[in-house]
Amino acid sequence: MTEQHFNAHARARSARSHLGVGHVDERHNEEFTVVGNHLAQHPDLSLTAIGLATHIQSLPTGTLVGIKALAAKFPEGETRIAAALRELEQHGYLSRTKERLPSGRIVTRTISYNKPQTRTVRSVLAPRREPAPEPKEPEHPAPAAPTPAPDTPDLPTHRTARDVLAGLRARDPRLHLAEADVRRLTPAVAAWLERGVVPDDMQRTLAAGMPREGVRHPVGFLAHRLTALLPPPLPTRPEAARPDPLQNCDGCDRAFRAPRPGRCRDCRPAREAAA
């Protein structure tokens, strides 16, 4: 008679059960952030972008999340962080808009979305009264007055002005100008040279205090500075008194300076004594 077994044998566990990740889940009652799988498992975002989005969503409102602030926290560096922020913008998890303060400065307003936006949200924000955390130069700085031009079209001065503009990229690669931009700004630089500013001092002035994030339009940035920082003309100096002309002494025929012909100072006493 066949032996009966009332207890079924335990099924052998597949080798696959030992592969892959395991989870030990504990409930969070405080200090936690809910992140959707659409972000945590996003197929098109880099791991840096996913981690950065998770970090930003966990921050309280008002925390600075600029490239400089994030690079100070993490070892990835500004280049990788900037690329990750662009990824999040492209996929709708982040929006960065420009905002002008009452002082005229422009700051970046950042909004984080815990669900991706299908289109870029651009809300009209009222000007804030608090000071800007990271002021920037205007993207399209418009000169307050027409670009200055020299009083006379001096060709050697124009050649020097073109050299000044072309050499700015050696001081800062962000000030790289196209040939057409150099031609446009040459008269303004020539006006500086005509007012006594030497080329090296001009390059140092134009490249000083560059915004940390750089400039998108170098030609507009330089046109603004060339107008706003134009020095006044040098004061005119009084002409030095011209010396008296040379005269030949009537007594010794020696040359001397005097307003009129006559005798030199050595011959005058002798003539006066004889008289």
Side-chain angles (χ1 to χ4, degrees), residues 246-268:
L246 288 173
Q247 310 287 351
N248 286 333
C249 178
D250 294 340
C252 64
D253 203 32
R254 186 174 60 182
F256 71 102
R257 291 189 178 276
R260 293 176 299 277
R263 293 177 177 266
C264 66
R265 61 182 179 181
D266 293 333
C267 294
R268 276 198 298 270

